[in-house]
Amino acid sequence: MLAHLISRGTSIYPRLYMQMAALVGLLIAAEFSMGTLGMMLTQRAVYRVSQRVRRRRQVARDARQACPGGNCCA
C-alpha cells in the first residue's frame, strides 16, 4: 500500500518529490557535517589538554633532574 502511494505520488508530483528528496539529502549532509565538526573540535580540545599535561610533567621531570636531592639553592 505504501509503495503504491509512493509510486503514484512520484508519477503525479515528480518535481515536488525531487525537491523533497534534495531537502532530506541536505538535512542529512548538514547533520553529518555538524557532527564531524563537533567531533573535530572535541578531539582538538582533548589534544590541547593532553599537550598541557605532558608539558607540565616534563617541566616537573626536568626540575627533579636538576635537583636530585630535592634541596636546591634556587
Side-chain angles (χ1 to χ4, degrees):
M1 180 71 182
L2 184 62
H4 177 68
L5 287 174
I6 291 173
S7 66
R8 185 172 178 219
T10 56
S11 65
I12 296 174
Y13 304 107
R15 183 175 174 198
L16 180 65
Y17 176 75
M18 290 304 291
Q19 287 175 347
M20 289 299 292
L23 180 63
V24 169
L26 284 174
L27 289 173
I28 291 171
E31 186 174 340
F32 176 75
S33 297
M34 291 303 290
T36 303
L37 178 64
M39 186 172 53
M40 287 170 53
L41 291 174
T42 301
Q43 286 177 347
R44 176 77 178 150
V46 169
Y47 174 76
R48 290 179 67 188
V49 169
S50 68
Q51 287 299 102
R52 244 182 271 142
V53 169
R54 206 174 283 156
R55 204 171 304 126
R56 280 190 207 138
R57 287 181 181 165
Q58 185 62 39
V59 167
R61 192 176 301 124
D62 292 344
R64 279 195 310 268
Q65 288 175 354
C67 302
N71 53 0
C72 278
C73 303

